[in-house]
Amino acid sequence: MASATAAAAAYDYEDVAVAGAAQDLGYDPNFVPDSVKSFVVHMYRHIREKNVYEIHQMYETSFQTLSDRLFKDSPWPSVDAVAQYVENDHVFCLLYKEMWYRHLYARLSPTLKQRIDSWDNYCNLFQVVLHGVVNMQLPNQWLWDMVDEFVYQFQSFCQYRAKMKNKTEQEIALLRQFDQAWNVFGVLNFLQALVEKSTIVQILEQEKEGLEQFTATDGYDYSGGSNVLKVLGYFSMVGLLRVHCLLGDYQTGLKCLQPIDISQQGVYTSVIGSHIATIYHYGFASLMLRRYVDGIREFNKILSYIYKTKQYHQRSPQYEQILKKNEQMYALLAICLSLCPQVKLVEEIVNSQLREKYGDKMIKMQKYDDEAFALYDELFSYACPKFITPSVPSYDEPLVNYNQDAYRLQLKLFLYEVKQQQLLSGVRTFLKLYSTISLEKLANYMEVDVPTLRTILMTYKHKTHAVDADGKITSNADIDFYIVDDMVHVVESKPSKRYGDYFLRQIVKLEGMINELDRVKLE
């Protein structure tokens, strides 16, 4: 794809990118305001000096400020216009274009030509990282955003391409010509190549033996080397999890993430966006593989963390995304707990928020009726990733939109599982009431015959067990049982009460009331 831009320039049709820019009257891609000159000159200097702190400040704050002030509804100046101020440095120009396209996607609607050019730029940038000599230190935030945006633009392209109904002949001709742009194999190959070339899996293994300091230094190289390849390789494992989730291949996605121990702090927790994306996709994949306990445990940890720290991220450009993912993860936690009641795994503060948001719905979801089924449908549709169909459409057949096909398939599979689980909710209700009960008596209560009951109990055993990451069969059930001589013996795990959490919440409430009373002025 390195020649994609050159080929596109020779294309006979009207350049869609120019038409897109023309919509914004007054935008001149060659005009560089003084503040932008200053920005690129200083950014270039800090990158050459490996001043990570200053690069992070400019990337996170200055770039956003200038975007809000000067480029709210238009793109930044073109890379050709700013290249002269940075000695035409090839790598810096690739980094600038990466930010340029990310701003375009966030603020405007990219044209097909711009989507293809962005793919071309990522190809060139990753080729330099994989095969060139990159002597830079970049902030983790920027490196995470590169991987995150790369996967997002792939997802966006697949959704865009799948809406074939209103495509013009020019767009279809472009899609045919650049059929390798955002190809699923290309995307997966780049992410996998970054993982392998960075040797990050081996580095993390050596760290466990005390031979490496990767996590201790947050991935930075304080001996004067570069952190770019290693950290991009690290974040690419999260990128692979996300892509496989979008494709509906949850097993492979979790396998890609295995080298990262998410039960511990790691480089993935050093960037809030990376932390949330990792746990969101890990939890969702666990839900789809019936590993409910794993999902509940990790959702609980991240939701508790967001609750305690979200005020520190209010000025962050990612704040809205943090809040959205927070709400989606509460919906996924509600689904997990409805299918696998394990309240003892959830902290008091998370449980309180969950009851506030979904308490009524969760009670209804325990029943076996159409309303409960509709609620599972609603929560899944709200909280699931935007699934994609990565295959190229058939341009010769009648053009139809197929962008919802992948989502409908995953929803259908999920609801099929829910239907099977709902049949078992009656069994659990009766088992909670008894320590021992005869098969005949239980069959009478459930209005089935004994052979059918045995089938239901076997199904319950199957559905409450899952294969974990190590290939072992583990139980998700809070109630287990065994049968001896036609008698069902029930084993219930008693949740340990967390008195500390309860008292801490009451203390915080009391302090809040005292502060309110202090503000009241008595006449």
PDB file of all heavy atoms in Angstrom, residues 34 69 106 115 179 199 345 348 354 444 446 474:
ATOM      1  N   ASP A  34       0.785  31.234  13.040  1.00  0.00           N
ATOM      2  CA  ASP A  34       2.028  31.304  13.838  1.00  0.00           C
ATOM      3  C   ASP A  34       2.002  30.330  15.007  1.00  0.00           C
ATOM      4  O   ASP A  34       3.030  29.741  15.353  1.00  0.00           O
ATOM      5  CB  ASP A  34       2.227  32.730  14.364  1.00  0.00           C
ATOM      6  CG  ASP A  34       2.605  33.697  13.242  1.00  0.00           C
ATOM      7  OD1 ASP A  34       3.045  33.190  12.179  1.00  0.00           O
ATOM      8  OD2 ASP A  34       2.454  34.913  13.413  1.00  0.00           O
ATOM      9  N   ARG A  69      -9.451  26.041  19.426  1.00  0.00           N
ATOM     10  CA  ARG A  69      -9.423  27.470  19.119  1.00  0.00           C
ATOM     11  C   ARG A  69      -9.427  27.742  17.614  1.00  0.00           C
ATOM     12  O   ARG A  69     -10.128  28.629  17.128  1.00  0.00           O
ATOM     13  CB  ARG A  69      -8.170  28.091  19.761  1.00  0.00           C
ATOM     14  CG  ARG A  69      -8.187  29.610  19.855  1.00  0.00           C
ATOM     15  CD  ARG A  69      -7.323  30.111  21.000  1.00  0.00           C
ATOM     16  NE  ARG A  69      -5.975  29.584  20.961  1.00  0.00           N
ATOM     17  CZ  ARG A  69      -4.972  30.137  20.286  1.00  0.00           C
ATOM     18  NH1 ARG A  69      -5.169  31.214  19.566  1.00  0.00           N
ATOM     19  NH2 ARG A  69      -3.763  29.606  20.328  1.00  0.00           N
ATOM     20  N   ALA A 106     -12.289  12.851  14.474  1.00  0.00           N
ATOM     21  CA  ALA A 106     -12.987  13.278  15.691  1.00  0.00           C
ATOM     22  C   ALA A 106     -13.917  14.467  15.434  1.00  0.00           C
ATOM     23  O   ALA A 106     -15.004  14.544  16.008  1.00  0.00           O
ATOM     24  CB  ALA A 106     -11.973  13.645  16.781  1.00  0.00           C
ATOM     25  N   ARG A 115      -9.958   8.278   4.144  1.00  0.00           N
ATOM     26  CA  ARG A 115      -9.850   7.009   4.881  1.00  0.00           C
ATOM     27  C   ARG A 115      -8.720   6.154   4.296  1.00  0.00           C
ATOM     28  O   ARG A 115      -7.937   5.545   5.021  1.00  0.00           O
ATOM     29  CB  ARG A 115     -11.181   6.232   4.798  1.00  0.00           C
ATOM     30  CG  ARG A 115     -12.329   6.856   5.583  1.00  0.00           C
ATOM     31  CD  ARG A 115     -13.631   6.122   5.271  1.00  0.00           C
ATOM     32  NE  ARG A 115     -14.789   6.804   5.820  1.00  0.00           N
ATOM     33  CZ  ARG A 115     -15.300   6.598   7.035  1.00  0.00           C
ATOM     34  NH1 ARG A 115     -14.745   5.724   7.845  1.00  0.00           N
ATOM     35  NH2 ARG A 115     -16.363   7.258   7.456  1.00  0.00           N
ATOM     36  N   ASP A 179      -8.633  -2.055  -2.870  1.00  0.00           N
ATOM     37  CA  ASP A 179      -9.291  -3.128  -2.107  1.00  0.00           C
ATOM     38  C   ASP A 179      -8.442  -3.647  -0.945  1.00  0.00           C
ATOM     39  O   ASP A 179      -8.930  -4.387  -0.102  1.00  0.00           O
ATOM     40  CB  ASP A 179      -9.663  -4.290  -3.043  1.00  0.00           C
ATOM     41  CG  ASP A 179      -8.439  -4.864  -3.754  1.00  0.00           C
ATOM     42  OD1 ASP A 179      -7.397  -4.180  -3.785  1.00  0.00           O
ATOM     43  OD2 ASP A 179      -8.542  -5.988  -4.284  1.00  0.00           O
ATOM     44  N   THR A 199       9.334  -8.186  20.764  1.00  0.00           N
ATOM     45  CA  THR A 199       9.639  -9.274  21.727  1.00  0.00           C
ATOM     46  C   THR A 199       9.004  -9.010  23.096  1.00  0.00           C
ATOM     47  O   THR A 199       9.562  -9.375  24.123  1.00  0.00           O
ATOM     48  CB  THR A 199      11.168  -9.499  21.886  1.00  0.00           C
ATOM     49  OG1 THR A 199      11.754  -8.354  22.517  1.00  0.00           O
ATOM     50  CG2 THR A 199      11.846  -9.774  20.553  1.00  0.00           C
ATOM     51  N   LEU A 345     -18.885 -11.055  44.876  1.00  0.00           N
ATOM     52  CA  LEU A 345     -17.689 -10.590  44.163  1.00  0.00           C
ATOM     53  C   LEU A 345     -17.714  -9.087  43.904  1.00  0.00           C
ATOM     54  O   LEU A 345     -16.746  -8.534  43.389  1.00  0.00           O
ATOM     55  CB  LEU A 345     -17.573 -11.315  42.818  1.00  0.00           C
ATOM     56  CG  LEU A 345     -17.358 -12.835  42.858  1.00  0.00           C
ATOM     57  CD1 LEU A 345     -17.380 -13.409  41.453  1.00  0.00           C
ATOM     58  CD2 LEU A 345     -16.047 -13.173  43.552  1.00  0.00           C
ATOM     59  N   GLU A 348     -19.286  -2.974  47.721  1.00  0.00           N
ATOM     60  CA  GLU A 348     -20.501  -2.285  48.163  1.00  0.00           C
ATOM     61  C   GLU A 348     -20.796  -1.056  47.299  1.00  0.00           C
ATOM     62  O   GLU A 348     -21.924  -0.834  46.883  1.00  0.00           O
ATOM     63  CB  GLU A 348     -20.329  -1.867  49.625  1.00  0.00           C
ATOM     64  CG  GLU A 348     -21.514  -1.119  50.222  1.00  0.00           C
ATOM     65  CD  GLU A 348     -22.766  -1.973  50.355  1.00  0.00           C
ATOM     66  OE1 GLU A 348     -22.649  -3.187  50.610  1.00  0.00           O
ATOM     67  OE2 GLU A 348     -23.855  -1.417  50.170  1.00  0.00           O
ATOM     68  N   LEU A 354     -24.914   0.000  40.889  1.00  0.00           N
ATOM     69  CA  LEU A 354     -25.603  -0.948  40.017  1.00  0.00           C
ATOM     70  C   LEU A 354     -27.095  -1.012  40.342  1.00  0.00           C
ATOM     71  O   LEU A 354     -27.944  -0.999  39.441  1.00  0.00           O
ATOM     72  CB  LEU A 354     -24.969  -2.333  40.158  1.00  0.00           C
ATOM     73  CG  LEU A 354     -25.468  -3.419  39.217  1.00  0.00           C
ATOM     74  CD1 LEU A 354     -25.104  -3.095  37.769  1.00  0.00           C
ATOM     75  CD2 LEU A 354     -24.895  -4.783  39.600  1.00  0.00           C
ATOM     76  N   ASN A 444     -42.063 -32.594  41.016  1.00  0.00           N
ATOM     77  CA  ASN A 444     -43.444 -32.141  41.217  1.00  0.00           C
ATOM     78  C   ASN A 444     -43.513 -30.622  41.256  1.00  0.00           C
ATOM     79  O   ASN A 444     -44.397 -30.007  40.656  1.00  0.00           O
ATOM     80  CB  ASN A 444     -44.025 -32.721  42.521  1.00  0.00           C
ATOM     81  CG  ASN A 444     -44.378 -34.191  42.361  1.00  0.00           C
ATOM     82  OD1 ASN A 444     -44.618 -34.658  41.251  1.00  0.00           O
ATOM     83  ND2 ASN A 444     -44.392 -34.924  43.464  1.00  0.00           N
ATOM     84  N   MET A 446     -41.522 -28.517  39.924  1.00  0.00           N
ATOM     85  CA  MET A 446     -41.203 -27.930  38.617  1.00  0.00           C
ATOM     86  C   MET A 446     -42.162 -28.388  37.510  1.00  0.00           C
ATOM     87  O   MET A 446     -42.021 -27.985  36.355  1.00  0.00           O
ATOM     88  CB  MET A 446     -39.758 -28.275  38.233  1.00  0.00           C
ATOM     89  CG  MET A 446     -38.743 -27.631  39.187  1.00  0.00           C
ATOM     90  SD  MET A 446     -37.082 -27.673  38.534  1.00  0.00           S
ATOM     91  CE  MET A 446     -37.251 -26.652  37.086  1.00  0.00           C
ATOM     92  N   THR A 474     -14.144 -24.746  35.473  1.00  0.00           N
ATOM     93  CA  THR A 474     -14.422 -24.091  36.748  1.00  0.00           C
ATOM     94  C   THR A 474     -15.913 -23.814  36.880  1.00  0.00           C
ATOM     95  O   THR A 474     -16.620 -23.666  35.879  1.00  0.00           O
ATOM     96  CB  THR A 474     -13.661 -22.750  36.863  1.00  0.00           C
ATOM     97  OG1 THR A 474     -14.013 -21.924  35.735  1.00  0.00           O
ATOM     98  CG2 THR A 474     -12.158 -22.966  36.879  1.00  0.00           C
TER      99      THR A 474
END
